[in-house]
Each structure stands twice: as structure tokens, then as C-alpha cells.
Amino acid sequence: MCGIVGYIGNEDAREIIIKGLKRLEYRGYDSAGIALLKGEDSTFHIYKDKGRVSRLQEITDFSYKSCLGIGHTRWATHGVPNQVNSHPHQSEKSRFFIVHNGVIDNYKELKSEELNGNNFTSDTDTEVIAHIIEKYSNEMKVDEAIRKTMSLLEGSYALAIIDTQNQNKLYACKNKSPLLLGLSDKGIIIASDVMALVGYSTKYVPLKDKTFVEITGINYKTLDIIGKEVEHEVKVIDIDYFNVEKGEYSHFMLKEISEQPSVIRTIISKYFDGEEVILNGDVSKAIKDSDRLYIIAAGTSMNAGYIGKELFEKMALIPTEVHIASEIAYNMPILSKKPLFIFISQSGETADLRAVLVNVRANGYRSLTITNVKTSTLAREADLFVEIHAGPEIAVASTKAYTAQICILAILAYGLSDKHINLRKEFSKLAISIENIIDKREYIETLVKDNLTKRNCFYIGRGIDYYACLESSLKLKEISYIQTEGFAAGELKHGTIALIEKDTPVIAIISQRKINKNTRSNLNEVKSRGARTLVISTWGVHEHGDQIVLDDVYELLSPILTIIPTQFIAYYAALQRNYDIDKPRNLAKSVTVE
Ligand code: F6R
């Protein structure tokens, strides 16, 4: 969601910014733009439009070298995606150029109270910021004007700012939305995430909320809102460049689905010593000391959280609740005496989760983040953090992060269980079973062609299979745009069965012995009403005619396996419809606004 890349230094700003924006494409966006200094005649030029970064490359003038610029990918919040609303935006007299990630809650008030009479060209909240900076720069120094503006803004922002009257400087500031500085001896990059820095910087500075940065060449100052210097940490980037390339695969999603066995093996290598789980003792203690776990997440990560609830309750006997982050953020339930909040987030940047974390910390409750991005805001700000080691996930639709999150939740629950299974062995078995399905993916492709012929679809299951259905349906709808519901199989007959008609696809997931018969009778109910049914089962519960039969695995871990064919179902349904699989419409990978 909205990506920022800015550069000042001796290298070609355009190349660094456009490459960086391409690396941020995975976050999701609908427009792209760039502002560049043309050094020879000291002029600034803006190129921007609705569409992809490749469109930006087409419209950008490549005939000059630039050493200062800011770029942006926009995910529309205020105003439709079009050329005018794309960033960079300018102040009224075009002195300042800015790009923004975030949402300014009081932009309407600021417009009328601070900028009465100004002319605006776009519908965005961002343009208001540029105008205010310009207004105050008439009364004070530019750095003061920006900090004054920060003090007026309510909401979230990461900003990169050019003052056209001072071509040796680049400014940035941030609150809530992520922003960092990439350091090198040739220049400094401002970016929304480390992905944009790979290949240019080896070190970076994650910026804290309400920080203002003034960059001059390769030097920078980090100040707070009143101009007092703030400390910052310099960290090392350890992302492998090759991990962020597609390689032999036609799509990142296909690559990431196929990487799941190796992700599980990586997790084994990181969290096991022989058969023993090795975990940070503080993490185990925090879970053990709590009387109830509150899992906070969104989307796919929340679906992993539901499996986590089963694991914590059934393996470790710890009561666990799962909450939608955007709901609990402003509607906290009555809590137990010793709650532990567990934040599950692939990106570690989701604004809905951050809003809860801020509240949790303010109230002095303990927090643990489970994430794929150890450099992320949620990883930094929670008391404790566990890394899922899935490697960079570029496709917007999350696949390997989901299975890795479940593995980590299983490890945490197992650590406190009576250890009646050998988790390491179960993980190894799962990795092999996943490979078996990956080998059969062409067969799944034909099933999709024959069965997913309608605009809608249902996934049904019970218990943990139901939770796998929630994730399976999310996957299918987000990339193939087939309206899909994940349903508790027994609940369908209480109303929703009215939607079943001839050839409506209904896919059942059955991996649990004790509910096998019940789910099958629910399948018969929809079959008798014309549904086209498809069954994904495990060997121990399979029946003749089931289309996809998977290996038997430890039942509580079955979603790690049953999800794989459904990821392929989503992938092939989108492929057959010719959709942009890695960048589905309207979606963002890193959802940094509430
Ligand atoms: C769907 C998907 C989203 C994310 C959700 C939360 O494939 O990826 O539903 O799970 O936006 O994002 P994170 O996990 O980064 O907090």
C-alpha cells in the first residue's frame, strides 16, 4: 500500500527510484509518479499517471541524469486513481514537491482553517500538507515549517519532501506509516521498506514516529517535532537479492506456493535442536504466565490465528481468543487478569494491528509479534517477537507466510504441551506431503477448468477444516474474483443453502475423523440441490470419488497440508481468467492505513 522512494546523492536518482518503486510494487497500488531535479538547468519535473510503474517508465524523460528526486506508488484513499490525484503533489506556488503514505484525518479542517482561499488541483489530503508547508515557509525556516506542519497533522504520514529552492537537501518525516533511510557512501534513499534498498544500501535507519529528517548529501539529522535531536539505530540489511526475483516461475505466487516445503525445513532448522524445540525463554514464559491469549490479526494472518487458537487450546490447554484487529482496536472486550496479546502479521506493518498494539502498550499489557519481517514496526514495538522465516513474500496473496505462521504457532503451543507427538517429525512429513501435491498441480489445474465455471463458489468444512476453508475462500476470491464463502458445513442449511443452484461449485475439506460423516452429509444436501462438489480429504477419511486425497498428517496440523491444493485452485482459477495474479486489483500487500 503506497510506496515511497526518494534519493539524494551522486548516483542516478531516477534509476534508484524507479527500481525501488518496482520492488515496492508487491505492496499494491494503482498509480505511480516521480519528481526529478534536472541538474543542468536547475528545474524540477513531475511525471505521474494512473497505472503501473512500467507506465511511469514510458512517460518519464530519460535524457538527463538527476541526483535528487522523490517517487511514489499510490493506493487511492482520497480521490479516484487518476493522473491528477497521483503523487508527487505540489504546494500552491510549486515551491514544495511531496509524496505521502498514510491518511490525514483532519485534512478538511486544515483546509478551511489554515488554507482558506487556496486553490487545490487534486482531491487528496496530501496536497493540503504541501500547501501548509509552503504557507509556514514564508514565516520561518523550511525545517521549522515542516515540523510546524507535523504538529498540525492528525493521522498517519510518511512524507518525502523536496524544497525546489534548496537543491542540496531532501526532507522526510513520519508518524505511524513506515519510513526508513537507506545509507551508502554515495547518497541516501528514503523508502517505505527495505525491499527498495536492496542492491544500493547495506545499512538502514528505521525512523521512529514523529521524527523529522533533514538530509544533505550523505549526511542526515533526525530531530523530533520541536527540533531536538533524537537517537536512531543503524541496522544491517540482510535480504538476499535473489530471493526477491521470480526465477524460473511465471508468477511469484507459484514460486511461493512451491517454496513451502523448504520454508518448513528452514523453520525446523531454526527452532529445533534434535527433537527439542528451541525458543527464546522469555517467549515461552510470557505464554506460560498468561491466563488467556488474545490473537490479533487481519485477513490471512487471522485465518492462521484461528488454527493457532485450536493449537493453543488443544495442545497447550491455554484459552485463546482470536480478534479482528480493526474491530478490537476500538472495542476492547473484558480481558482476563493476565492477558498476552499475540500479533500475527506477515508484513509487520498492518495499521489495524498497530492501532491495537499502541493501546495494549499504553495499558501495560504484554505483547508478542509473530511476523515474517523482523525489521517491521510490529516486531520492533512489541515486547517480544518471533520470526517465521518464510523469506520475502512478494505476491499479494499470502501463501507461504500463512503456513509458516501456523508452524510457529504449533511450535509455541507444542513447547507448553505434554509432547505426545514428535513435532519435528510431523513437520518433516508435512514437507514431503506438500511436495507430493506440488507434483500433482497440473491435475488440480484440470479440476479447476472443469469445476469452477460459475461466478460463485463455497468452501465447507467443520472444526479446523472450517478454518482452512476460510483461508481457501479468501485466496480464491482475492485473485480470481470469484465470490467465495468459507462456511461451517453444518451452518449452510440455516439460510445460505438458498444460494445453491445447478452447478454451484462446493468444495469440502475433510481431514478430521470425528466430523467426516457430518461434513459428508452436508455435502449430500448441496449435491441434491444441484451443486457441483469437489472433495479434498486425507487418506484416513477419504472415500471413493474424492477428487484430491492427501497424506495423513497429525490432525491439528492438517491445514498446513489441506491449504496447498486450495492455493493452487486459486492460482489456476486466476490464471485461466487471465488476471494479474501477483497484483490483484484493489489489494495491497502491506496495509498501512486503518
Ligand atoms: C491475503 C492477505 C491479507 C493479509 C492482511 C494482513 O492474501 O495477505 O489478507 O493477511 O492484509 O496483513 P499482514 O499479515 O501483513 O498483517
Side-chain angles (χ1 to χ4, degrees):
M1 188 170 273
C2 292
I4 288 178
V5 187
Y7 178 76
I8 183 164
N10 303 327
E11 292 184 277
D12 185 8
R14 179 185 17 240
E15 185 194 302
I16 291 174
I17 293 170
I18 289 186
K19 267 202 186 150
L21 292 179
K22 273 196 162 294
R23 293 259 179 74
L24 298 186
E25 278 191 307
Y26 79 99
R27 294 163 68 93
Y29 69 105
D30 41 55
S31 324
I34 188 168
L36 293 167
L37 166 67
K38 188 172 176 186
E40 305 123 47
D41 49 15
S42 293
T43 51
F44 283 88
H45 299 266
I46 289 186
Y47 312 90
K48 60 180 188 175
D49 208 351
K50 182 180 166 181
R52 298 281 177 218
V53 177
S54 49
R55 165 84 188 128
L56 181 62
Q57 280 174 297
E58 279 165 29
I59 59 173
T60 304
D61 178 0
F62 276 81
S63 65
Y64 59 91
K65 186 178 174 226
S66 177
C67 53
L68 172 64
I70 51 177
H72 190 259
T73 46
R74 172 176 190 247
W75 190 84
T77 56
H78 296 70
V80 295
N82 61 18
Q83 202 265 346
V84 171
N85 289 331
S86 308
H87 301 212
H89 287 284
Q90 296 178 58
S91 54
E92 203 188 25
K93 302 205 167 51
S94 299
R95 174 170 174 185
F96 294 96
F97 289 13
I98 76 170
V99 290
H100 168 217
N101 176 9
V103 172
I104 303 303
D105 299 331
N106 62 337
Y107 82 104
K108 283 193 183 141
E109 292 86 332
L110 290 173
K111 226 174 184 176
S112 60
E113 289 160 18
E114 295 280 335
L115 304 168
N116 206 356
N118 277 36
N119 290 319
F120 294 90
T121 50
S122 77
D123 306 318
T124 63
D125 48 350
T126 306
E127 196 183 354
V128 174
I129 308 174
H131 283 222
I132 298 181
I133 295 173
E134 186 171 82
K135 172 183 162 178
Y136 284 104
S137 67
N138 295 325
E139 302 166 17
M140 51 188 84
K141 292 201 296 190
V142 170
D143 60 319
E144 289 166 0
I146 297 174
R147 283 189 277 108
K148 166 77 186 170
T149 306
M150 286 169 73
S151 72
L152 298 173
L153 301 178
E154 285 169 19
S156 54
Y157 54 85
L159 295 167
I161 306 156
I162 287 178
D163 174 8
T164 56
Q165 293 182 8
N166 191 344
Q167 300 173 359
N168 299 319
K169 285 203 192 298
L170 181 58
Y171 300 95
C173 55
K174 86 135 221 156
N175 184 43
K176 295 188 185 167
S177 300
L179 198 65
L180 39 90
L181 304 181
L183 311 179
S184 87
D185 51 8
K186 297 200 178 110
I188 291 186
I189 304 178
I190 301 170
S192 307
D193 78 44
V194 268
M195 215 63 116
L197 310 177
V198 178
Y200 292 104
S201 312
T202 48
K203 290 190 183 138
Y204 74 99
V205 176
L207 298 175
K208 295 181 190 148
D209 279 351
K210 302 249 165 92
T211 300
F212 164 79
V213 190
E214 184 175 326
I215 309 166
T216 317
I218 55 164
N219 300 311
Y220 62 96
K221 270 197 295 199
T222 48
L223 307 176
D224 68 9
I225 221 156
I226 55 166
K228 210 171 106 224
E229 227 160 294
V230 286
E231 290 208 353
H232 53 262
E233 227 181 313
V234 178
K235 299 193 167 211
V236 174
I237 298 176
D238 62 358
I239 292 181
D240 179 357
Y241 176 76
F242 294 102
N243 253 338
V244 295
E245 298 290 299
K246 267 202 301 258
E248 74 208 61
Y249 293 92
S250 46
H251 297 94
F252 278 109
M253 184 177 178
L254 186 60
K255 173 175 183 254
E256 289 156 9
I257 294 174
S258 310
E259 280 171 352
Q260 288 173 107
S262 74
V263 170
I264 293 178
R265 291 184 181 117
T266 304
I267 289 174
I268 293 175
S269 72
K270 301 277 178 191
Y271 291 107
F272 283 87
D273 180 6
E275 321 273 87
E276 290 299 310
V277 165
I278 28 170
L279 262 183
N280 171 346
D282 293 343
V283 172
S284 309
K285 185 168 177 329
I287 298 176
K288 208 193 250 161
D289 287 351
S290 75
D291 59 357
R292 187 169 283 259
L293 305 176
Y294 293 80
I295 292 180
I296 314 296
T300 290
S301 299
M302 185 173 67
N303 293 336
Y306 287 125
I307 313 289
K309 171 184 164 64
E310 293 290 305
L311 292 163
F312 283 123
E313 294 198 333
K314 307 255 159 62
M315 283 169 94
L317 307 178
I318 306 175
T320 305
E321 295 177 17
V322 181
H323 289 272
I324 301 175
S326 55
E327 284 297 311
I328 197 173
Y330 301 98
N331 191 13
M332 196 57 95
I334 296 175
L335 299 173
S336 65
K337 288 204 173 66
K338 290 187 282 172
L340 173 67
F341 284 82
I342 302 185
F343 295 83
I344 308 179
S345 173
Q346 181 280 131
S347 63
E349 298 294 351
T350 304
D352 291 328
L353 275 74
R354 173 114 198 278
V356 188
L357 179 57
V358 168
N359 191 355
V360 160
R361 289 177 63 189
N363 284 291
Y365 300 126
R366 302 276 289 157
S367 56
L368 159 68
T369 290
I370 298 176
T371 182
N372 199 23
V373 186
K374 65 177 178 201
T375 53
S376 63
T377 308
L378 291 170
R380 283 199 308 273
E381 295 185 352
D383 296 324
L384 299 159
F385 132 74
V386 178
E387 192 179 352
I388 66 170
H389 293 289
E393 193 179 63
I394 310 291
V396 164
S398 181
T399 52
K400 60 178 181 170
Y402 169 80
T403 43
Q405 285 165 346
I406 299 175
C407 288
I408 297 300
L409 290 161
I411 288 172
L412 297 180
Y414 180 74
L416 300 175
S417 75
D418 62 7
K419 318 256 182 346
H420 63 281
I421 57 163
N422 181 327
L423 190 62
R424 185 192 170 120
K425 266 202 188 124
E426 296 299 335
F427 278 174
S428 302
K429 259 167 52 189
L430 273 163
I432 295 167
S433 301
I434 294 174
E435 277 162 352
N436 293 338
I437 313 170
I438 293 172
D439 290 345
K440 294 196 189 90
R441 63 176 195 249
E442 274 143 19
Y443 163 64
I444 299 178
E445 186 174 7
T446 61
L447 284 179
V448 170
K449 205 176 242 150
D450 297 344
N451 291 280
L452 266 67
T453 52
K454 306 281 269 187
R455 282 282 304 124
N456 64 345
C457 176
F458 288 88
Y459 270 98
I460 61 168
R462 287 171 179 248
I464 211 162
D465 294 333
Y466 163 53
Y467 295 138
C469 286
L470 293 180
E471 173 55 12
S472 305
S473 73
L474 180 60
K475 240 16 19 133
L476 184 57
K477 71 183 118 180
E478 69 183 325
I479 61 166
S480 76
Y481 316 142
I482 294 173
Q483 187 165 8
T484 315
E485 286 196 59
F487 235 84
E491 183 63 11
L492 208 60
K493 59 185 177 294
H494 297 290
T496 308
I497 201 164
L499 295 174
I500 303 292
E501 52 189 37
K502 185 163 177 337
D503 287 339
T504 305
V506 178
I507 307 174
I509 298 182
I510 309 176
S511 72
Q512 317 287 302
R513 221 166 277 273
K514 75 169 185 236
I515 46 78
N516 183 11
K517 292 242 160 359
N518 312 58
T519 305
R520 287 191 189 274
S521 64
N522 301 134
L523 256 182
N524 285 334
E525 288 156 13
V526 292
K527 224 190 242 170
S528 345
R529 285 156 182 87
R532 190 184 279 244
T533 59
L534 209 147
V535 180
I536 299 170
S537 58
T538 45
W539 181 255
V541 296
H542 90 283
E543 285 188 5
H544 178 71
D546 290 355
Q547 288 88 340
I548 300 175
V549 180
L550 310 167
D551 296 341
D552 276 329
V553 291
Y554 179 60
E555 285 196 354
L556 279 174
L557 297 177
S558 68
I560 297 174
L561 185 61
T562 54
I563 202 67
I564 311 295
T566 77
Q567 291 172 343
F568 279 125
I569 287 173
Y571 175 79
Y572 287 118
L575 190 69
Q576 286 162 17
R577 283 161 183 74
N578 219 1
Y579 291 140
D580 191 346
I581 294 180
D582 288 335
K583 296 185 215 92
R585 70 185 179 206
N586 303 340
L587 297 184
K589 183 78 180 162
S590 187
V591 186
T592 50
V593 295
E594 277 186 60

